Amino acid sequence: MSKTPPLAVGVMSGTSPDGISTALVKLKDDAVELIAFRQEPYSPAERGSIIDAIARGTPRDVAFLHVALGERFAGAVLALLAQARVAPKDVAFVASHGQTIWHEPGRATFQLGDAAVLAERVGVPVVSDFRARDVAAGGQGAPLVPLADVMLFGHEQHGRWLLNVGGIANVTWVPRRGVSEGAFAFDTGPGIGVIDSITRRIDPDATYDKDGERARRGRPVKKVLDELLALAYFDQSPPKSTGRELFGVEFADQLLAKVKKAGGSDNDAVATATALTAESIGRAVERWGKDSSSEIVISGGGAKNPALIERLAAKVQPRPVVLFDQVFFDGEAKEAVAFAFLGMQTVSGKPGNLPAATGARGPRVLGH
C-alpha cells in the first residue's frame, strides 16, 4: 500500500477464551488513535467448544470451529462499526489475531477464525496468522505485542514496563518510546487463565473471580505455592513464551487438587492461583529488570482484579504499579489496538516482530 490507511480494526481473542475484543483505530505514522472499542463475551457453549477442540477435537471439529469463529469475528467487527457509525467500505483492513488453539513455543502455533469468512462478510482485506512466520524464523511466536509497546506505549523520557495480564502474563521493557534497542519482552507465566479455570470448577456459573473476592476470602497455601514457583519455566531466561499447553485447565485442576490435599478450601485454591500469578510476575521483573524504580503499567483482565494488583504492588515495590487506563485508554482494548498496529506493519511491508522478545533470527514481516 502506498498510502497509510486512515481506519482499521484490530480483533483479539486471548489465550483464556473469554470473548472477542474489537478496536477501531485511526492509523498514523507509527501511531494509532483509538476511535471505538467493543467486547463480546463467548457464551458458555462457545467457550466449551473451544476448550473441547483443544482437548480432543477431530479434524472435522476443528474445521467447523474455524469457520464458526470466522463468522463470530465478522459479527463482532460489524457490530463495532455499527456502534461507531462507520461503514465497512471506509475501513482499509481488519487485523485478526484469531483464537489460539495450540501454542508450543518455537515449534508450532495455531489460531482459528477463518480470515476468508471474515473478509467475505465484512468486505475488506483481512490480515491474519501473525505468529507463524516468527516461529518459522526460529522464534517463539510470542509475545508479539512488544513492537507496539515500543512504538506506541513507551515513556518519552525514561524506561517503562508494559505488563499485560490476560490468560498468560507478559511483560515488555521499553527503554524509551520508539527505541527498540535494549527493549525485550517475555511471558512471565500464568495470568488470569488459571484463576478463571479454578473459579469455574468451583462455581460453573462464574466466569472469573469478580473483584478478586474469592482470593480475598482465601489464603494462599504456601507449600503448594512454593512447589509451583519451583517449576522450570520460571527459571528459564528470556526470550520465552508459554500458553495453555503448560498453564491450562489441566494445570488448574492439579493446583486445585494439591490445595485440597493440603487441607485448603476452594477459596484458598483461588488465592493460591492469584498469588502464583503475582509472585511469578514480580520475580521476573526483579530478576531481569534494569532498575528498581521504573513504573509498571498494567493492562488486560488482570488489571480488573484488585486482589491481584495489591499483591503484585507489594511484591515489586518501590516500582509503582499504574493502570494502563490511567495513562492511555481502556486497557482491555490494548491488544486489539496492538494487532491493528501490527496489521499496518504487514500491509506496509514492515517487520512486526521484536527479535529480542521472540528469539527469531531477525525482523520479519508477519501475517498474510
PDB file of all heavy atoms in Angstrom, residues 9 24 38 76-89 91 94 122:
ATOM      1  N   VAL A   9      -9.414  -2.051  11.850  1.00  0.00           N
ATOM      2  CA  VAL A   9      -9.988  -2.729  13.009  1.00  0.00           C
ATOM      3  C   VAL A   9      -9.034  -3.833  13.456  1.00  0.00           C
ATOM      4  O   VAL A   9      -8.554  -4.616  12.633  1.00  0.00           O
ATOM      5  CB  VAL A   9     -11.367  -3.344  12.689  1.00  0.00           C
ATOM      6  CG1 VAL A   9     -11.887  -4.160  13.884  1.00  0.00           C
ATOM      7  CG2 VAL A   9     -12.376  -2.256  12.338  1.00  0.00           C
ATOM      8  N   LEU A  24     -11.561  -0.126  16.789  1.00  0.00           N
ATOM      9  CA  LEU A  24     -11.492   0.688  15.581  1.00  0.00           C
ATOM     10  C   LEU A  24     -10.468   1.784  15.838  1.00  0.00           C
ATOM     11  O   LEU A  24     -10.573   2.520  16.837  1.00  0.00           O
ATOM     12  CB  LEU A  24     -12.850   1.311  15.275  1.00  0.00           C
ATOM     13  CG  LEU A  24     -12.912   2.268  14.081  1.00  0.00           C
ATOM     14  CD1 LEU A  24     -12.663   1.534  12.771  1.00  0.00           C
ATOM     15  CD2 LEU A  24     -14.262   2.997  14.045  1.00  0.00           C
ATOM     16  N   ARG A  38     -15.026  -2.459  21.625  1.00  0.00           N
ATOM     17  CA  ARG A  38     -16.174  -3.291  21.995  1.00  0.00           C
ATOM     18  C   ARG A  38     -15.679  -4.656  22.456  1.00  0.00           C
ATOM     19  O   ARG A  38     -14.716  -5.174  21.914  1.00  0.00           O
ATOM     20  CB  ARG A  38     -17.083  -3.456  20.781  1.00  0.00           C
ATOM     21  CG  ARG A  38     -18.485  -3.949  21.089  1.00  0.00           C
ATOM     22  CD  ARG A  38     -19.396  -3.764  19.864  1.00  0.00           C
ATOM     23  NE  ARG A  38     -20.767  -4.126  20.177  1.00  0.00           N
ATOM     24  CZ  ARG A  38     -21.238  -5.369  20.128  1.00  0.00           C
ATOM     25  NH1 ARG A  38     -20.438  -6.364  19.743  1.00  0.00           N
ATOM     26  NH2 ARG A  38     -22.492  -5.629  20.433  1.00  0.00           N
ATOM     27  N   ALA A  76     -18.669  -9.583  15.222  1.00  0.00           N
ATOM     28  CA  ALA A  76     -18.137  -8.635  16.211  1.00  0.00           C
ATOM     29  C   ALA A  76     -17.619  -7.362  15.535  1.00  0.00           C
ATOM     30  O   ALA A  76     -17.817  -6.248  16.036  1.00  0.00           O
ATOM     31  CB  ALA A  76     -17.016  -9.298  17.018  1.00  0.00           C
ATOM     32  N   VAL A  77     -16.952  -7.521  14.389  1.00  0.00           N
ATOM     33  CA  VAL A  77     -16.437  -6.358  13.650  1.00  0.00           C
ATOM     34  C   VAL A  77     -17.594  -5.490  13.143  1.00  0.00           C
ATOM     35  O   VAL A  77     -17.577  -4.262  13.288  1.00  0.00           O
ATOM     36  CB  VAL A  77     -15.541  -6.795  12.476  1.00  0.00           C
ATOM     37  CG1 VAL A  77     -15.197  -5.605  11.577  1.00  0.00           C
ATOM     38  CG2 VAL A  77     -14.265  -7.437  12.999  1.00  0.00           C
ATOM     39  N   LEU A  78     -18.612  -6.125  12.574  1.00  0.00           N
ATOM     40  CA  LEU A  78     -19.752  -5.370  12.048  1.00  0.00           C
ATOM     41  C   LEU A  78     -20.508  -4.654  13.172  1.00  0.00           C
ATOM     42  O   LEU A  78     -20.974  -3.523  12.992  1.00  0.00           O
ATOM     43  CB  LEU A  78     -20.688  -6.310  11.275  1.00  0.00           C
ATOM     44  CG  LEU A  78     -20.110  -6.830   9.945  1.00  0.00           C
ATOM     45  CD1 LEU A  78     -20.997  -7.919   9.376  1.00  0.00           C
ATOM     46  CD2 LEU A  78     -19.925  -5.691   8.945  1.00  0.00           C
ATOM     47  N   ALA A  79     -20.602  -5.299  14.351  1.00  0.00           N
ATOM     48  CA  ALA A  79     -21.254  -4.651  15.496  1.00  0.00           C
ATOM     49  C   ALA A  79     -20.455  -3.430  15.966  1.00  0.00           C
ATOM     50  O   ALA A  79     -21.031  -2.387  16.313  1.00  0.00           O
ATOM     51  CB  ALA A  79     -21.418  -5.650  16.641  1.00  0.00           C
ATOM     52  N   LEU A  80     -19.131  -3.551  15.960  1.00  0.00           N
ATOM     53  CA  LEU A  80     -18.277  -2.418  16.336  1.00  0.00           C
ATOM     54  C   LEU A  80     -18.469  -1.255  15.360  1.00  0.00           C
ATOM     55  O   LEU A  80     -18.611  -0.101  15.772  1.00  0.00           O
ATOM     56  CB  LEU A  80     -16.808  -2.848  16.343  1.00  0.00           C
ATOM     57  CG  LEU A  80     -15.786  -1.727  16.526  1.00  0.00           C
ATOM     58  CD1 LEU A  80     -15.742  -1.268  17.980  1.00  0.00           C
ATOM     59  CD2 LEU A  80     -14.392  -2.165  16.079  1.00  0.00           C
ATOM     60  N   LEU A  81     -18.467  -1.554  14.066  1.00  0.00           N
ATOM     61  CA  LEU A  81     -18.618  -0.500  13.053  1.00  0.00           C
ATOM     62  C   LEU A  81     -19.987   0.159  13.158  1.00  0.00           C
ATOM     63  O   LEU A  81     -20.114   1.383  12.998  1.00  0.00           O
ATOM     64  CB  LEU A  81     -18.386  -1.074  11.659  1.00  0.00           C
ATOM     65  CG  LEU A  81     -16.965  -1.591  11.379  1.00  0.00           C
ATOM     66  CD1 LEU A  81     -16.869  -2.169   9.974  1.00  0.00           C
ATOM     67  CD2 LEU A  81     -15.926  -0.491  11.581  1.00  0.00           C
ATOM     68  N   ALA A  82     -21.018  -0.638  13.446  1.00  0.00           N
ATOM     69  CA  ALA A  82     -22.356  -0.072  13.632  1.00  0.00           C
ATOM     70  C   ALA A  82     -22.377   0.854  14.847  1.00  0.00           C
ATOM     71  O   ALA A  82     -22.956   1.954  14.803  1.00  0.00           O
ATOM     72  CB  ALA A  82     -23.381  -1.193  13.794  1.00  0.00           C
ATOM     73  N   GLN A  83     -21.725   0.424  15.920  1.00  0.00           N
ATOM     74  CA  GLN A  83     -21.638   1.251  17.140  1.00  0.00           C
ATOM     75  C   GLN A  83     -20.944   2.576  16.852  1.00  0.00           C
ATOM     76  O   GLN A  83     -21.349   3.633  17.353  1.00  0.00           O
ATOM     77  CB  GLN A  83     -20.861   0.474  18.211  1.00  0.00           C
ATOM     78  CG  GLN A  83     -20.511   1.255  19.465  1.00  0.00           C
ATOM     79  CD  GLN A  83     -19.586   0.460  20.390  1.00  0.00           C
ATOM     80  OE1 GLN A  83     -19.843  -0.698  20.690  1.00  0.00           O
ATOM     81  NE2 GLN A  83     -18.500   1.077  20.847  1.00  0.00           N
ATOM     82  N   ALA A  84     -19.892   2.523  16.035  1.00  0.00           N
ATOM     83  CA  ALA A  84     -19.113   3.730  15.721  1.00  0.00           C
ATOM     84  C   ALA A  84     -19.700   4.520  14.545  1.00  0.00           C
ATOM     85  O   ALA A  84     -19.185   5.582  14.214  1.00  0.00           O
ATOM     86  CB  ALA A  84     -17.675   3.337  15.405  1.00  0.00           C
ATOM     87  N   ARG A  85     -20.744   3.966  13.927  1.00  0.00           N
ATOM     88  CA  ARG A  85     -21.372   4.585  12.748  1.00  0.00           C
ATOM     89  C   ARG A  85     -20.357   4.792  11.624  1.00  0.00           C
ATOM     90  O   ARG A  85     -20.262   5.872  11.027  1.00  0.00           O
ATOM     91  CB  ARG A  85     -22.064   5.895  13.127  1.00  0.00           C
ATOM     92  CG  ARG A  85     -23.160   5.690  14.153  1.00  0.00           C
ATOM     93  CD  ARG A  85     -23.967   6.917  14.436  1.00  0.00           C
ATOM     94  NE  ARG A  85     -25.024   6.615  15.404  1.00  0.00           N
ATOM     95  CZ  ARG A  85     -25.937   7.501  15.808  1.00  0.00           C
ATOM     96  NH1 ARG A  85     -25.917   8.738  15.342  1.00  0.00           N
ATOM     97  NH2 ARG A  85     -26.865   7.151  16.667  1.00  0.00           N
ATOM     98  N   VAL A  86     -19.613   3.738  11.377  1.00  0.00           N
ATOM     99  CA  VAL A  86     -18.620   3.731  10.304  1.00  0.00           C
ATOM    100  C   VAL A  86     -18.994   2.628   9.320  1.00  0.00           C
ATOM    101  O   VAL A  86     -19.282   1.505   9.729  1.00  0.00           O
ATOM    102  CB  VAL A  86     -17.195   3.492  10.863  1.00  0.00           C
ATOM    103  CG1 VAL A  86     -16.197   3.233   9.750  1.00  0.00           C
ATOM    104  CG2 VAL A  86     -16.750   4.677  11.710  1.00  0.00           C
ATOM    105  N   ALA A  87     -18.999   2.937   8.034  1.00  0.00           N
ATOM    106  CA  ALA A  87     -19.318   1.945   7.013  1.00  0.00           C
ATOM    107  C   ALA A  87     -18.106   1.050   6.765  1.00  0.00           C
ATOM    108  O   ALA A  87     -16.967   1.542   6.768  1.00  0.00           O
ATOM    109  CB  ALA A  87     -19.719   2.636   5.715  1.00  0.00           C
ATOM    110  N   PRO A  88     -18.315  -0.247   6.522  1.00  0.00           N
ATOM    111  CA  PRO A  88     -17.188  -1.135   6.233  1.00  0.00           C
ATOM    112  C   PRO A  88     -16.308  -0.631   5.099  1.00  0.00           C
ATOM    113  O   PRO A  88     -15.084  -0.805   5.148  1.00  0.00           O
ATOM    114  CB  PRO A  88     -17.880  -2.458   5.868  1.00  0.00           C
ATOM    115  CG  PRO A  88     -19.159  -2.444   6.633  1.00  0.00           C
ATOM    116  CD  PRO A  88     -19.593  -1.008   6.617  1.00  0.00           C
ATOM    117  N   LYS A  89     -16.887   0.005   4.094  1.00  0.00           N
ATOM    118  CA  LYS A  89     -16.092   0.484   2.951  1.00  0.00           C
ATOM    119  C   LYS A  89     -15.076   1.548   3.356  1.00  0.00           C
ATOM    120  O   LYS A  89     -14.118   1.809   2.616  1.00  0.00           O
ATOM    121  CB  LYS A  89     -17.011   1.041   1.864  1.00  0.00           C
ATOM    122  CG  LYS A  89     -17.772   2.302   2.244  1.00  0.00           C
ATOM    123  CD  LYS A  89     -18.637   2.798   1.103  1.00  0.00           C
ATOM    124  CE  LYS A  89     -19.461   4.012   1.489  1.00  0.00           C
ATOM    125  NZ  LYS A  89     -18.680   5.158   1.925  1.00  0.00           N
ATOM    126  N   VAL A  91     -13.167   1.274   5.960  1.00  0.00           N
ATOM    127  CA  VAL A  91     -12.100   0.604   6.705  1.00  0.00           C
ATOM    128  C   VAL A  91     -11.109  -0.004   5.713  1.00  0.00           C
ATOM    129  O   VAL A  91     -11.496  -0.682   4.764  1.00  0.00           O
ATOM    130  CB  VAL A  91     -12.695  -0.515   7.605  1.00  0.00           C
ATOM    131  CG1 VAL A  91     -11.590  -1.322   8.266  1.00  0.00           C
ATOM    132  CG2 VAL A  91     -13.600   0.109   8.668  1.00  0.00           C
ATOM    133  N   VAL A  94      -8.912  -5.280   8.255  1.00  0.00           N
ATOM    134  CA  VAL A  94      -9.120  -5.852   9.583  1.00  0.00           C
ATOM    135  C   VAL A  94      -7.895  -6.703   9.904  1.00  0.00           C
ATOM    136  O   VAL A  94      -7.435  -7.481   9.061  1.00  0.00           O
ATOM    137  CB  VAL A  94     -10.388  -6.736   9.628  1.00  0.00           C
ATOM    138  CG1 VAL A  94     -10.482  -7.483  10.956  1.00  0.00           C
ATOM    139  CG2 VAL A  94     -11.636  -5.891   9.414  1.00  0.00           C
ATOM    140  N   VAL A 122     -17.333  -8.977   5.918  1.00  0.00           N
ATOM    141  CA  VAL A 122     -17.119  -7.539   6.157  1.00  0.00           C
ATOM    142  C   VAL A 122     -16.843  -6.798   4.851  1.00  0.00           C
ATOM    143  O   VAL A 122     -17.178  -5.625   4.701  1.00  0.00           O
ATOM    144  CB  VAL A 122     -15.978  -7.316   7.179  1.00  0.00           C
ATOM    145  CG1 VAL A 122     -15.778  -5.825   7.470  1.00  0.00           C
ATOM    146  CG2 VAL A 122     -16.285  -8.052   8.482  1.00  0.00           C
TER     147      VAL A 122
END
